[in-house]
């Protein structure tokens, strides 16, 4: 676990607890996406360098997001500004999504394949994983041309490498090449 993940954990946990308490998980997800999008904009990154005061920085965020950000969101922005934590927004968001998945009994699966898969193939993979893990499955799918035929499936800290490259490596290892 990285330092950013360690720092992001209490933020995400607190946000998630507020979201559960107020039944506003989707709203918080949208707030986090909004803040993350603004903070990652190349023109806005200059503001995050510490050249302006945290009070003014939080005021800019709050002004931009007047229609999206509620009082709890404003408090989060002020806290992130004061502690200069906008650099861990991605980590906070990822941790929040994992907490939501756990709460809803969903497992998040990262699927990478060497070539584009059709929707029905992804659905078949989803059904197999749901039977295996006995949980609903959310698949995050990406095409990775660096994979030599096949796919790589990552579930939590477990990786299923079903690529030809991995099979060749295993064969090579067993033949002691």
């Amino acid at each position: 676990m990285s330092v950013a993940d360690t720092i992001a954990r209490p933020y995400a946990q607190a946000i998630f607890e507020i979201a559960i308490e107020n039944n506003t998980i989707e709203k918080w997800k949208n707030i986090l996406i909004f803040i993350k999008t603004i903070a990652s904009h190349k023109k806005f990154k200059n503001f995050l360098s510490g050249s302006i005061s945290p009070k003014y920085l939080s005021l800019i965020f709050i002004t931009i997001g007047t229609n999206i950000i509620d009082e709890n969101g404003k408090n989060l922005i002020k806290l992130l500004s004061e502690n200069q934590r906008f650099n861990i927004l991605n980590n906070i968001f990822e941790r929040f999504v994992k907490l939501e998945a756990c709460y809803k009994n969903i497992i998040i699966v990262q699927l990478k394949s060497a070539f584009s898969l059709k929707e029905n193939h992804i659905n078949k993979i989803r059904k197999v994983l749901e039977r295996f893990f006995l949980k609903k499955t959310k698949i995050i799918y990406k095409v990775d041309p660096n994979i030599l035929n096949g796919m790589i499936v990552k579930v939590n800290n477990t990786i299923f490498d079903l690529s030809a490259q991995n099979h060749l490596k295993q064969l090579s290892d067993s033949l002691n090449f």
Side-chain angles (χ1 to χ4, degrees):
M1 184 178 296
S2 72
V3 174
D5 283 334
T6 303
I7 296 169
R9 186 182 320 124
Y11 286 95
Q13 186 67 43
I15 294 165
F16 190 73
E17 287 173 10
I18 292 169
I20 293 296
E21 186 178 305
N22 298 321
N23 196 25
T24 55
I25 293 174
E26 285 303 313
K27 184 175 183 177
W28 268 105
K29 213 180 335 181
N30 290 334
I31 289 171
L32 289 171
I33 289 169
F34 173 78
I35 297 170
K36 192 173 72 135
T37 303
I38 298 298
S40 65
H41 193 278
K42 66 179 181 179
K43 290 184 179 180
F44 203 83
K45 286 191 178 198
N46 293 334
F47 292 123
L48 301 177
S49 65
S51 60
I52 61 173
S53 72
K55 186 175 182 177
Y56 186 66
L57 180 61
S58 60
L59 183 63
I60 293 171
F61 268 99
I62 292 167
T63 303
I64 293 171
T66 301
N67 299 330
I68 297 170
I69 301 169
D70 62 3
E71 282 304 310
N72 288 324
K74 290 176 184 177
N75 290 336
L76 173 65
I77 289 170
K78 290 174 185 174
L79 188 64
L80 293 172
S81 295
E82 290 170 9
N83 296 321
Q84 296 180 349
R85 297 291 189 211
F86 284 104
N87 59 331
I88 62 165
L89 274 167
N90 284 334
N91 304 79
I92 293 171
F93 180 73
E94 287 174 14
R95 175 73 58 179
F96 182 88
V97 169
K98 287 179 183 177
L99 288 168
E100 177 192 16
C102 184
Y103 178 75
K104 292 181 176 179
N105 200 25
I106 298 172
I107 194 161
I108 298 174
V109 176
Q110 294 177 358
L111 172 65
K112 293 181 184 178
S113 66
F115 48 87
S116 181
L117 295 175
K118 293 182 179 177
E119 192 64 35
N120 64 334
H121 292 123
I122 295 172
N123 286 332
K124 286 179 183 178
I125 293 168
R126 178 181 292 112
K127 287 177 184 176
V128 168
L129 292 170
E130 285 177 350
R131 274 188 258 131
F132 183 78
F133 289 107
L134 302 174
K135 290 185 176 188
K136 286 187 176 183
T137 304
K138 178 181 178 185
I139 295 181
I140 300 171
Y141 173 65
K142 293 180 184 173
V143 175
D144 186 351
N146 296 322
I147 296 173
L148 180 63
N149 207 3
M151 66 181 74
I152 298 173
V153 180
K154 182 178 179 190
V155 181
N156 296 329
N157 294 327
T158 306
I159 297 175
F160 302 97
D161 191 342
L162 307 170
S163 66
Q165 185 175 358
N166 184 50
H167 290 296
L168 291 172
K169 183 184 180 309
Q170 288 177 353
L171 181 63
S172 173
D173 289 347
S174 67
L175 296 174
N176 295 321
F177 279 139

